[in-house]
Amino acid sequence: MEQKTVRSPTDEEQEELDRLMSSAVGRVALRAQMISLSARGFSAPEIAQIHDCAEATVYPTLRTRKSAPITLQ
């Protein structure tokens, strides 16, 4: 299976991810954490294991953020 990771976030996007990971709740915070982990090189299966969820939960988040600007809200 192809390794799916997002591109490295810009400085502005990383600031937004950091803000969301520390202040957002629920799915928004979860997606921010998944994107951050992927940008750091974690694979979808590793991210799924960290968050105790199915890979099928991780892949859509990574797929939609692979080349697009990182926006979660």
Side-chain angles (χ1 to χ4, degrees):
M1 182 175 288
E2 173 190 347
Q3 170 104 8
K4 296 181 187 324
T5 59
V6 297
R7 64 171 172 74
S8 295
T10 64
D11 290 341
E12 184 177 279
E13 291 170 335
Q14 186 60 55
E15 287 177 15
E16 179 68 1
L17 286 171
D18 292 342
R19 182 187 71 75
L20 290 170
M21 287 188 293
S22 65
S23 64
V25 296
R27 291 181 187 221
V28 172
L30 179 63
R31 288 194 303 265
Q33 291 168 356
M34 288 178 178
I35 291 168
S36 183
L37 287 169
S38 179
R40 291 180 8 215
F42 285 82
S43 68
E46 291 170 324
I47 295 168
Q49 185 176 18
I50 289 167
H51 286 291
D52 193 29
C53 65
E55 290 176 33
T57 302
V58 178
Y59 282 119
T61 297
L62 302 186
R63 186 173 25 258
T64 58
R65 306 303 187 271
K66 195 168 186 174
S67 60
I70 296 172
T71 56
L72 300 173
Q73 296 180 336

